[in-house]
Amino acid sequence: MPRRTPALDRATPDRIAETALLLMDEDGPEALTFRALAARLDISLASLQRRCTDLSGLLDLCLDHLAARLPEPTPGGDWARATEARFTALYRLLVAHPGLLVLRGSRPWLGENLLARLVEPQLADSLAAGMTAEEAIAAYRGMYLLTLGSASFVDHRDPRSARALTRGALAALDPEAFPALTGHLTETVRAVTGHDVYYGALRRLITAADPARAATDTP
């Protein structure tokens, strides 16, 4: 157990995570270093490293801190509605912190808060609704990957820049070689940052997996 000090008391896990997220949101993912974070927290580097020994530990702390903001599980209710609420809440958290997504990379997200507020209740609800374990896991994974990919595709906090870069790249294409892209430039650029693309795709996945719909379709 680390020795209690005023610095350790100030550097609670929640405060470390909140400050790290703020640092990335303000200055980008490259700004998150242990020295910069310790300075922002007004503690020593050694005190910070007692809380999280490396970048992996710090990112885990940030990810699980965010997951604590997901809706608390509520037993029962409509499967499709609960599923949409969980994944849209996750999507909104992720698009608000693009720097964290950059640093996260392919790291597994297995913190207790995510497991307790998203994974476990989603799988439990799917099983209770009549899915097999394989169906429940496949449905969860499809929605999770859609959410993660949609959130990390562009920096949704700066949609104007993302649209301008996309428009410039597409406008430089040869119309004869790329008629579909250059011929629908406005629609393509709009879809790059449009949240409706995600919400529509999520609802289609939910509809396809909905056990209630599958039951009515059975002859």
Side-chain angles (χ1 to χ4, degrees):
M1 292 290 292
R3 180 172 59 87
R4 302 302 304 177
T5 67
L8 280 177
D9 290 336
R10 290 198 306 274
T12 63
D14 280 341
R15 184 161 181 247
I16 290 173
E18 288 170 1
T19 306
L21 289 167
L22 184 61
L23 194 60
M24 287 185 282
D25 291 345
E26 290 178 348
D27 302 321
E30 65 280 355
L32 183 63
T33 67
F34 269 65
R35 290 190 181 280
L37 182 56
R40 183 72 71 94
L41 288 163
D42 193 25
I43 62 174
S44 70
L45 184 60
S47 294
L48 177 59
Q49 289 173 328
R50 290 192 188 101
R51 287 295 194 194
C52 39
T53 57
D54 56 20
L55 181 61
S56 293
L58 177 57
L59 292 178
D60 286 344
L61 199 66
C62 292
L63 289 165
D64 214 42
H65 176 78
L66 279 184
R69 303 178 190 174
L70 292 171
E72 293 190 18
T74 53
D78 180 75
W79 178 88
R81 187 173 300 169
T83 298
E84 183 172 351
R86 289 186 187 115
F87 281 98
T88 54
L90 177 64
Y91 175 75
R92 288 168 186 149
L93 282 178
L94 294 177
V95 298
H97 302 285
L100 181 61
L101 278 175
V102 170
L103 292 180
R104 178 196 176 278
S106 60
R107 294 171 50 78
W109 189 355
L110 299 173
E112 183 174 348
N113 283 323
L114 184 82
L115 296 178
R117 296 197 174 213
L118 178 70
V119 185
E120 177 63 23
Q122 184 60 41
L123 294 180
D125 281 0
S126 295
L127 293 171
M131 287 188 188
T132 66
E134 291 79 8
E135 289 170 340
I137 292 168
Y140 170 82
R141 183 164 173 77
M143 294 173 205
Y144 176 75
L145 291 176
L146 169 69
T147 303
L148 188 63
S150 298
S152 60
F153 184 64
V154 295
D155 183 346
H156 289 276
R157 295 190 315 155
D158 188 11
R160 180 177 297 180
S161 176
R163 288 193 294 266
L165 288 171
T166 303
R167 183 179 293 278
L170 295 181
L173 295 176
D174 180 353
E176 293 187 3
F178 301 95
L181 286 170
T182 58
H184 302 87
L185 187 60
T186 299
E187 294 82 359
T188 303
V189 170
R190 186 186 303 124
V192 168
T193 57
H195 295 293
D196 287 345
V197 173
Y198 167 73
Y199 294 129
L202 177 64
R203 291 183 187 118
R204 287 191 290 274
L205 284 178
I206 291 172
T207 299
D210 191 346
R213 180 175 178 271
T216 60
D217 289 346
T218 302

